[in-house]
Amino acid sequence: MTRVGFRWLERGSCSHPEAMVIKGGSLCSVDFPALVGMIEHPVRGIFLFDTGYDPAFNQATDPFPERFYRWATPVEIEADQQWQNWLNTHDIEEAAIAGTIISHFHGDHVAGMRNLANKPVFCARAGLEELRKPGRFGRVRQGLLSALVPDEVDAHAQFFEDARACPLPTEFAPFTQGRDILGDGSLLAVELPGHCAGHWGLAFTTRQGQSVLLAADAVWQGRSITERRAPPRITTALLGNTRNYRATLDLLSSAAANNRDLAILPSHCRASAKTLVQD
């Protein structure tokens, strides 16, 4: 695999009871950061894996029924995590951003899309189609806020489902197949079903030679993988498909056991981020 630079950066956070994301968890409210992958391709430039939170989230959840989303997961966005401040904090030149890779279309993963709508977007067709379905109550129940994703995205989206299928390196076993979204083997989208329609991760190798699997919301906490502990059924059934979710969790647990050097990074877990060899 062509190696890439990588940083795993926070952009906003939300809070809700831990028991909603892992069976047997605490009923106390826990802080969950929204992590954004900054991927530096040696030729193509910078790609962002998801966008984290953005002030646009608060605007999109002002009306009802969207306000229920904000109440269910209270969000915090510090001043240094607003778009231009966030870029400056992490020395990212906006002009160098070549595109975004969207794991799925929940609000905490696409709230910053208005800043990137005119750049190439790689995503799942199934996820975008779900986002655009009619019925505001139904979308909110599924964590979808269509206002966060400008219509321009639909016109130039490049879909994972259409990319060339290719085998994954053995470091990612038992995952065997990815989709070569850039055509050079550097970034391989990996379907991780269960959390919601069109939920995908991303496999790549860093410049330091570490294999990384960005797992998005296949789990919220890394210990779900090591302990094979899924969220309660009420959570997985509300957002997606419980059987598929648990099958994906089993694969992630096996991958972690098979390769201790593989960094599996959920999008809301600071502890898992410590397994990453920093760029």
Side-chain angles (χ1 to χ4, degrees):
M1 300 175 73
T2 300
R3 295 185 178 187
V4 297
F6 180 69
R7 286 188 284 160
W8 201 216
L9 309 172
E10 290 191 24
R11 188 162 187 242
S13 63
C14 70
S15 58
H16 52 83
E18 184 186 50
M20 293 300 292
V21 304
I22 186 170
K23 188 175 182 180
S26 170
L27 293 175
C28 295
S29 184
V30 174
D31 179 62
F32 293 93
L35 290 155
V36 177
M38 198 283 285
I39 300 165
E40 190 172 3
H41 188 277
V43 176
R44 301 281 293 272
I46 292 171
F47 292 88
L48 296 184
F49 180 82
D50 293 336
T51 70
Y53 282 111
D54 187 273
F57 178 87
N58 292 330
Q59 297 167 19
T61 55
D62 270 340
F64 288 97
E66 289 79 9
R67 180 67 69 94
F68 289 115
Y69 192 156
R70 190 194 303 184
W71 287 344
T73 57
V75 170
E76 185 172 343
I77 306 169
E78 302 290 347
D80 65 352
Q81 293 169 335
Q82 298 187 29
W83 181 242
Q84 287 297 332
N85 292 341
W86 184 79
L87 292 178
N88 294 337
T89 296
H90 298 293
D91 296 319
I92 301 171
E93 293 185 20
E94 187 167 10
I97 299 175
T100 55
I101 302 164
I102 301 301
S103 65
H104 63 297
F105 284 92
H106 284 169
D108 52 331
H109 294 258
V110 298
M113 282 302 297
R114 66 178 182 177
N115 303 299
L116 299 156
N118 294 317
K119 296 179 182 289
V121 177
F122 300 87
C123 64
R125 178 185 286 107
L128 187 57
E129 288 178 348
E130 196 71 19
L131 180 76
R132 298 309 190 199
K133 285 183 178 179
R136 290 170 63 189
F137 279 97
R139 290 199 302 267
V140 171
R141 183 186 67 80
Q142 296 177 72
L144 300 172
L145 300 168
S146 61
L148 292 176
V149 181
D151 292 340
E152 304 95 283
V153 169
D154 302 50
H156 58 249
Q158 300 179 46
F159 297 119
F160 300 146
E161 294 95 331
D162 296 337
R164 179 178 64 89
C166 61
L168 286 168
T170 57
E171 289 82 0
F172 297 94
F175 294 100
T176 59
Q177 180 176 279
R179 296 284 180 156
D180 186 2
I181 63 176
L182 297 185
D184 64 356
S186 59
L187 302 177
L188 304 179
V190 180
E191 190 171 13
L192 301 174
H195 176 62
C196 64
H199 182 266
W200 290 62
L202 191 70
F204 56 87
T205 302
T206 68
R207 285 194 288 240
Q208 287 71 29
Q210 185 175 26
S211 298
V212 173
L213 177 60
L214 302 183
D217 287 1
V219 295
W220 281 271
Q221 295 180 332
R223 67 192 184 101
S224 292
I225 297 173
T226 56
E227 299 171 13
R228 290 186 186 247
R229 274 208 285 164
R233 184 178 296 272
I234 188 174
T235 300
T236 53
L238 180 68
L239 295 173
N241 181 288
T242 297
R243 178 179 295 179
N244 290 344
Y245 188 102
R246 292 180 177 178
T248 295
L249 174 59
D250 285 342
L251 290 172
L252 290 170
S253 297
S254 295
N258 290 344
N259 183 2
R260 299 293 182 182
D261 295 326
L262 173 65
I264 301 177
L265 304 180
S267 288
H268 303 293
C269 182
R270 292 189 180 98
S272 297
K274 295 178 181 178
T275 65
L276 181 68
V277 178
Q278 292 296 319
D279 191 20

